[in-house]
Amino acid sequence: MHSEPALAQQLRRPLLGQPIERLEDAALLTGRGRYGDDLGVTPGTLHAAVLRSPHAHAELVAVDAAAALAMPGVRAVLTGEDVERWSQPFVVGVKQPMQHWALAVDRVRYAGEPVAVVVAEDRYLAEDALDAIRVEYRALLAVVNIERAIEADAPLLHAGVGSNVVSDRQFAYGDAAAAFAYAPHRVALTVHYPRNTCTPIECGVVVAEHLPGDEGYDVLSNFMGPFSLHAVMALALQVPGNKLRHRIPRDSGGSFGVKQAVFPYVVLMCLASRKAGAPVKWVEDRLEHLTAATSATARLTTIEAAVNAEGRVLALRYDQMDEVGGYLRAPEPATFYRMHGALTGAYDIANLEVRNRVVVTNKTPTGLVRGFGGPQVYFALERLMDRIAVELNIDAFELRRRNFVAADRFPYHAAAGAVLDSGDYVQALDLARAAADMPALVARRDAARAAGKLYGIGCAAIVEPSVSNMGYISTVLTPAQRAKAGPKNGAIASATVSIDLLGGINVGIASAPAGQGHMTVCAQVVADVFGLKPEQVVVNVEFDTAKDAWSVAAGNYSSRFAGAVAGTVHLAAVKLRDKLARIAAAQFDCALDQIVFVQGQVMDSRQPERSQPFTRLAASSHWAPALLPEGMVPGLRETAFWTPETLAAPDANDRVNTSAAYGFVFDICGLEVDPDTGRVRVDRYITAHDAGRILNPALADGQICGAFAQGLGAALYEEFRYAADGGFQSGTLADYLIPTACEVPDPVIVHMETPSPFTPLGAKGLGEGNNMSTPVCIANAFADALRPLRDVDDVRLPLTPSRVLAAIGADEPAPPASMAQAAAPALPAGDGLALRASGVVDIAAPPERVFAVLLDPVALAKVIPGCHALDAIGANRYRADVTVGVGLVKARYEAQIALSEIDPPHSLRLAGQGSSSLGTGAGSGTVRLARSGSGTRLHYDYAAQVGGKVAAVGSRMLEGAARIVLAQLFESLGRQATGAAPLTAWQRLRRRLGIGAKEHA
């Protein structure tokens, strides 16, 4: 290979390692981004909407789409029968008798599971037609938490498995039993890591076309990989891989892992196109994304350490249970096994025992979320390290220092197989402590505590894996099962570099960027190799499986870019540069090692006057192939493939090097807790990173800040909540809270570089680390803050005010007097989202008139907002057809309403229950009338339970909607009682603003 002489190094400054500005930004900031929903579609493309189950667990008895198909503009409805006829279930990595189809075919196993797809001439028509589909469900008991799911009498999700534990594997490395038997100290802890997710600006987009004959399918989507799932999609569609062409747009509005969950919808829209006979486009809305896309895997871990008198950890014992939702959907159980080789983290621990159980529940299937596996492992491990420090009375920083892998031990072979490539963990800890100014930070804590405040200091140490071994998931199989299936390993990356007739350089990569700056870094890499400016390099990040070089590991996940993709671009560029060097050496009649590429010139380093512009040399190579050196193949295009040699298949003892490179992160947090309100504030945050060679410091810091913000969200705000019946309750950003720029402090970032010996450029990943380290660092700081009050070992995330106050042992603050409620009625029986409200309304009509309206079905129909019909079915009993709209959700309910406890004209009870394709609802409330001058003062108290998609919008939006509906109801009641004309829009607005009625909810 041609090596660069000293002259080239003297004439130019390397671009790698410089914080050059992003080349992507000009297009994005001027509105020229090419996102999935922006791209043009084939004329005649139809639009899809997905009907989703309102139940978390139910038998699917019948789907009647006749009414929907009769609606104007509706072209097709895809059902489970079609899916069974044209496809097969998705393959999974665990050999169990359970099936996951693109649509439910016999049973639904989570709220939001796709049941049917309407294809129409536009999205509005398709959405409207969803209401016309009649689905008959037979509701089943749901199971929503790990502890209940593993009980012998728990409702079964997959009867053929016979248990909700679909995988149970145990591993042993070294002799943990002996270490535990003789260690003077044993420290144990049980921790919970909750479900949370990522919230990219852009949700899923799929445009799919079924091609005539046996041509297969053509798909455009913002799927992000791994492209090992391309085979999963092709197998589900029952076509060869080359009959499923999959294209990825240039730009993505974020992913952070969750765009992996687009792949089932690729299959679904392919089948919808086949049914409709035309291309089909589907764009996921925010409610769909939160409800049914994916989430991080929840984990319940019991972890125990055997510790000697000096605080050295001699052995670890993990008992881990991952809750993966209704189906074990590929690539799960990736969250378990991506970290398997590195379960000992940054510590030199020779003995390890592990039990891994994969548990299904009636929730959305889980998948890749930034740092997948890391947050779950380190929340347990680093909380345990803090407990050891507390119980042995050792400083938390010193305890970690004593247990770190020593700098002279790299490459270090961890107990379960990870090969930690390079590092100096003690130096990184010292750099972080220096940046934190630890004496000042401790003084800050002491002063706060002296003033009666709660202040804590926490730390966390993690190794950050990057460039995943594609064989790690097979560790879930036994050695015998792996031998039968064949070995799987490696992390193949590919890149193509070509030079055109005028000397322009084009680069193609098999990765799908989501904002990281792929174009910028690839241009830096290639410009360095050829002695050009980055602006002279065009990087094409659109990806096409039919045209581009790719393999099983292609995609954008597991921090592959810096270590694998950029490194492979470098290898391809060097191959092409060496070819040009041979051409130039022949023309200059000099030795090959004398050729240099610098400042846009190609020259003889010993006789610099012998040179020519890079563009001229490239052009002549195209236009005059007869002048090429003898035996050289024409063409200026090189493709490189690379895979790390250290990534072998799991061995017979279940040891596996799960990633090619391992960065290091050490975090320090100063945290303030308000004991009166439960508010938690990050006062100081320092994060030290060793990610090998830094390719672009500005982009690196951007990735660190993004991961820190996401880790902060996991620690303080973000959690998916489910009702006891499996109903989802976090379907809007009013209830699934995420931190904004106002809540995210600027972390102090410290860099050190120990280049990896195992990646082409020495780079490691760093885009996921703080999502692994920040949640547990904040948890450790929180535990330290509470230590003057009480010793807290079970820290539950997120640290919401109510959870914080419970941990402190304080009651939540009482609501203001204006928000106080009367004694609330009992909630109706059932599960779901609970709503209560009470209030007072003045109506300018006597009680007798108001009461008469309530008993008159004709008048009552005009009072109930959204009521289409109200038919008597008995004494004071009615059947109603009502449309209810809440935020993104509109549902048409078939309801039964009953009046009871009637005491005219003083009081009555109104109860109702209804159902729709989007969920269920039941409520009961009292209305009391009292004479007030010439009018009536109406008192109301109600309680309701809401389930299904309507409940998914969350309590904040539902309560706001309930206030609006009540205002409309009492406004209509007053009009009917007084015979007044309807209010104008201006009058309604004035009423809303302040406005003639006294209410509270």
Side-chain angles (χ1 to χ4, degrees):
M1 179 178 289
H2 174 67
S3 60
E4 189 173 63
L7 175 65
Q9 299 177 13
Q10 295 170 4
L11 290 176
R12 66 180 175 85
R13 183 185 182 191
L15 291 162
L16 281 181
Q18 302 304 313
I20 72 169
E21 293 185 0
R22 285 165 39 105
L23 301 181
E24 294 89 339
D25 286 351
L28 298 177
L29 295 175
T30 55
R32 294 185 290 109
R34 301 181 64 187
Y35 299 93
D37 196 25
D38 297 329
L39 302 179
V41 295
T42 304
T45 296
L46 304 174
H47 296 264
V50 180
L51 180 68
R52 299 178 182 277
S53 169
H55 301 282
H57 200 195
E59 291 180 6
L60 190 59
V61 179
V63 179
D64 183 359
L69 288 167
M71 296 176 67
V74 174
R75 295 278 292 273
V77 176
L78 184 78
T79 67
E81 292 181 358
D82 303 311
V83 169
E84 281 191 290
R85 182 166 62 252
W86 291 329
S87 69
Q88 61 186 18
F90 295 112
V91 298
V92 295
V94 173
K95 309 304 180 185
Q96 288 282 15
M98 51 186 179
Q99 294 185 334
H100 177 206
W101 299 82
L103 277 182
V105 299
D106 59 349
R107 183 183 289 198
V108 293
R109 294 178 173 87
Y110 63 95
E113 181 170 359
V115 172
V117 179
V118 173
V119 180
E121 292 171 4
D122 62 45
R123 178 66 178 260
Y124 305 98
L125 295 173
E127 291 279 357
D128 288 343
L130 294 180
D131 288 338
I133 299 176
R134 294 291 173 259
V135 183
E136 182 182 350
Y137 298 97
R138 185 176 295 115
L140 302 170
L141 292 175
V143 58
V144 295
N145 63 65
I146 297 172
E147 295 92 334
R148 172 63 179 140
I150 64 173
E151 292 176 357
D153 63 342
L156 288 181
L157 273 72
H158 302 274
V161 180
S163 168
N164 292 324
V165 178
V166 299
S167 174
D168 187 347
R169 285 226 61 203
Q170 297 188 50
F171 307 88
Y173 307 98
D175 192 351
F180 275 100
Y182 294 107
H185 302 283
R186 295 174 64 163
V187 181
L189 190 68
T190 296
V191 299
H192 300 75
Y193 191 82
R195 279 181 170 243
N196 52 40
T197 190
C198 313
T199 49
I201 294 174
E202 176 199 38
C203 296
V205 178
V206 179
V207 183
E209 182 177 6
H210 176 242
L211 303 174
D214 62 351
E215 294 181 48
Y217 298 91
D218 189 302
V219 177
L220 171 79
S221 86
N222 55 8
F223 173 68
M224 45 88 54
F227 271 81
S228 55
L229 296 178
H230 184 270
V232 173
M233 291 182 269
L235 288 169
L237 290 167
Q238 300 184 107
V239 296
N242 62 350
K243 297 295 180 71
L244 174 60
R245 181 184 185 183
H246 201 159
R247 293 171 290 122
I248 311 299
R250 184 188 72 185
D251 296 316
S252 168
S255 172
F256 318 108
V258 299
K259 291 275 174 64
Q260 162 267 330
V262 172
F263 87 87
Y265 294 96
V266 170
V267 172
L268 196 54
M269 294 307 138
C270 285
L271 298 174
S273 172
R274 182 169 183 172
K275 182 75 178 282
V280 170
K281 181 177 183 179
W282 171 74
V283 179
E284 181 183 50
D285 66 35
R286 181 64 60 187
L287 179 59
E288 288 182 294
H289 180 78
L290 289 169
T291 302
T294 192
S295 85
T297 302
R299 181 172 294 176
L300 174 60
T301 302
T302 297
I303 184 171
E304 186 177 15
V307 189
N308 71 12
E310 289 74 40
R312 286 279 290 116
V313 178
L314 306 176
L316 283 177
R317 182 176 286 148
Y318 282 89
D319 185 350
Q320 306 180 110
M321 289 186 283
D322 267 9
E323 182 259 292
V324 298
Y327 301 93
L328 184 61
R329 183 175 67 188
E332 291 286 44
T335 302
F336 249 149
Y337 290 97
R338 181 199 183 195
M339 295 297 300
H340 187 81
L343 285 172
T344 47
Y347 307 114
D348 183 5
I349 303 172
N351 305 296
L352 176 66
E353 288 182 357
V354 186
R355 184 182 185 187
N356 287 343
R357 281 175 280 180
V358 179
V359 183
V360 292
T361 62
N362 292 114
K363 296 181 181 178
T364 307
T366 62
L368 310 187
V369 170
R370 193 176 201 160
F372 64 101
Q376 292 86 346
V377 163
Y378 292 123
F379 192 75
L381 180 58
E382 289 300 294
R383 285 292 299 127
L384 178 68
M385 295 301 288
D386 257 35
R387 289 305 307 166
I388 296 171
V390 169
E391 295 192 18
L392 273 66
N393 195 26
I394 301 174
D395 175 76
F397 293 87
E398 177 59 27
L399 177 76
R400 288 168 171 84
R401 186 190 301 271
R402 293 179 188 180
N403 283 281
F404 279 154
V405 173
D408 61 1
R409 299 282 305 279
F410 293 100
Y412 171 82
H413 291 256
V419 182
L420 306 184
D421 46 338
S422 63
D424 188 335
Y425 299 164
V426 171
Q427 182 185 357
L429 181 152
D430 290 339
L431 289 172
R433 286 177 60 90
D437 190 357
M438 285 303 297
L441 188 60
V442 171
R444 194 179 185 95
R445 178 183 66 183
D446 294 344
R449 290 179 174 179
K453 299 178 182 178
L454 300 178
Y455 194 104
I457 297 173
C459 64
I462 71 158
V463 291
E464 179 178 2
S466 55
V467 192
S468 287
N469 183 349
M470 295 307 288
Y472 73 82
I473 298 177
S474 63
T475 314
V476 71
L477 303 176
T478 65
Q481 289 173 322
R482 290 197 300 268
K484 184 176 180 180
K488 294 180 174 62
N489 69 285
I492 300 172
S494 59
T496 301
V497 179
S498 60
I499 304 176
D500 65 26
L501 303 180
L502 300 179
I505 298 183
N506 292 280
V507 179
I509 57 175
S511 186
Q516 299 95 327
H518 285 25
M519 294 168 65
T520 302
V521 174
C522 289
Q524 285 180 267
V525 169
V526 173
D528 256 353
V529 170
F530 289 104
L532 303 173
K533 299 177 180 178
E535 308 88 79
Q536 295 174 265
V537 181
V538 173
V539 181
N540 187 343
V541 294
E542 296 173 345
F543 179 45
D544 185 339
T545 60
K547 297 171 63 178
D548 295 316
W550 64 282
S551 186
V552 62
N556 179 18
Y557 59 96
S558 298
S559 294
R560 282 177 50 80
F561 177 71
V565 177
T568 308
V569 168
H570 174 78
L571 297 178
V574 168
K575 287 174 65 177
L576 189 54
R577 182 196 66 188
D578 289 349
K579 185 171 186 177
L580 277 177
R582 288 181 57 201
I583 297 170
Q587 292 183 11
F588 296 159
D589 192 23
C590 69
L592 180 61
D593 62 4
Q594 294 175 211
I595 298 298
V596 295
F597 294 75
V598 61
Q599 296 180 354
Q601 298 287 316
V602 184
M603 66 178 65
D604 179 348
S605 60
R606 295 185 182 176
Q607 300 183 59
E609 66 277 7
R610 291 205 282 186
S611 68
Q612 62 176 295
F614 175 85
T615 53
R616 180 176 177 181
L617 177 65
S620 66
S621 301
H622 279 285
W623 286 105
L627 299 180
L628 294 176
E630 185 177 353
M632 178 176 286
V633 177
L636 296 181
R637 179 185 182 96
E638 292 289 346
T639 296
F641 285 86
W642 171 83
T643 189
E645 295 181 0
T646 56
L647 298 187
D651 68 17
N653 297 313
D654 291 316
R655 288 172 55 88
V656 58
N657 184 21
T658 39
S659 295
Y662 298 85
F664 179 71
V665 183
F666 192 88
D667 287 359
I668 302 172
C669 176
L671 194 76
E672 185 181 273
V673 181
D674 188 329
D676 296 322
T677 65
R679 180 175 180 265
V680 175
R681 183 180 70 85
V682 173
D683 181 47
R684 289 269 289 158
Y685 203 94
I686 296 87
T687 181
H689 285 255
D690 176 4
R693 185 181 182 188
I694 303 298
L695 305 183
N696 185 313
L699 300 188
D701 285 356
Q703 290 297 303
I704 290 169
C705 288
F708 168 68
Q710 194 165 334
L712 181 77
L716 302 183
Y717 302 97
E718 302 183 40
E719 181 180 20
F720 276 166
R721 296 193 310 275
Y722 291 81
D725 66 350
F728 184 66
Q729 298 181 348
S730 305
T732 71
L733 298 183
D735 277 84
Y736 186 80
L737 300 183
I738 56 176
T740 70
C742 298
E743 289 81 38
V744 181
D746 292 328
V748 176
I749 300 172
V750 180
H751 287 289
M752 63 177 285
E753 298 183 53
T754 59
S756 172
F758 302 142
T759 64
L761 293 170
K764 310 178 187 183
L766 51 61
E768 299 178 291
N770 281 100
N771 206 38
M772 303 178 186
S773 61
T774 297
V776 69
C777 186
I778 289 176
N780 286 342
F782 176 75
D784 184 58
L786 266 59
R787 200 154 285 130
L789 296 179
R790 53 185 300 209
D791 189 15
V792 178
D793 57 0
D794 185 10
V795 177
R796 300 286 184 100
L797 301 183
L799 293 170
T800 58
S802 60
R803 202 167 265 160
V804 169
L805 291 172
I808 292 173
D811 295 326
E812 288 196 57
S818 61
M819 297 294 288
Q821 294 186 1
L827 285 168
D831 295 310
L833 186 61
L835 299 173
R836 286 187 171 94
S838 61
V840 179
V841 177
D842 289 324
I843 299 175
E848 292 79 7
R849 282 194 188 177
V850 176
F851 210 89
V853 171
L854 293 173
L855 295 179
D856 180 358
V858 175
L860 188 59
K862 296 177 181 178
V863 169
I864 299 172
C867 184
H868 304 288
L870 186 68
D871 301 319
I873 58 174
N876 298 314
R877 294 177 59 242
Y878 308 98
R879 180 182 292 111
D881 181 5
V882 183
T883 293
V884 178
V886 182
L888 300 173
V889 177
K890 181 184 70 173
R892 191 160 181 165
Y893 280 82
E894 295 177 355
Q896 290 192 8
I897 299 172
L899 305 181
S900 62
E901 302 176 18
I902 300 171
D903 180 16
H906 306 298
S907 64
L908 60 77
R909 176 175 293 278
L910 189 149
Q913 59 183 7
S915 63
S916 76
S917 61
L918 302 182
T920 59
S924 175
T926 59
V927 176
R928 292 178 290 114
L929 307 180
R931 195 174 301 276
S932 175
S934 60
T936 299
R937 176 156 291 180
L938 183 149
H939 300 257
Y940 66 88
D941 299 279
Y942 86 86
Q945 291 275 11
V946 181
K949 187 175 181 181
V950 176
V953 303
S955 59
R956 288 179 176 85
M957 188 170 288
L958 270 175
E959 287 166 359
R963 294 189 188 100
I964 294 171
V965 170
L966 286 170
Q968 294 171 344
L969 186 148
F970 293 125
E971 176 189 307
S972 299
L973 180 60
R975 287 202 313 271
Q976 290 295 316
T978 60
L983 295 177
T984 65
W986 173 244
Q987 289 172 322
R988 287 196 299 271
L989 178 61
R990 292 186 68 246
R991 282 281 179 91
R992 295 266 177 88
L993 294 175
I995 305 174
K998 294 176 289 182
E999 301 178 45
H1000 53 264

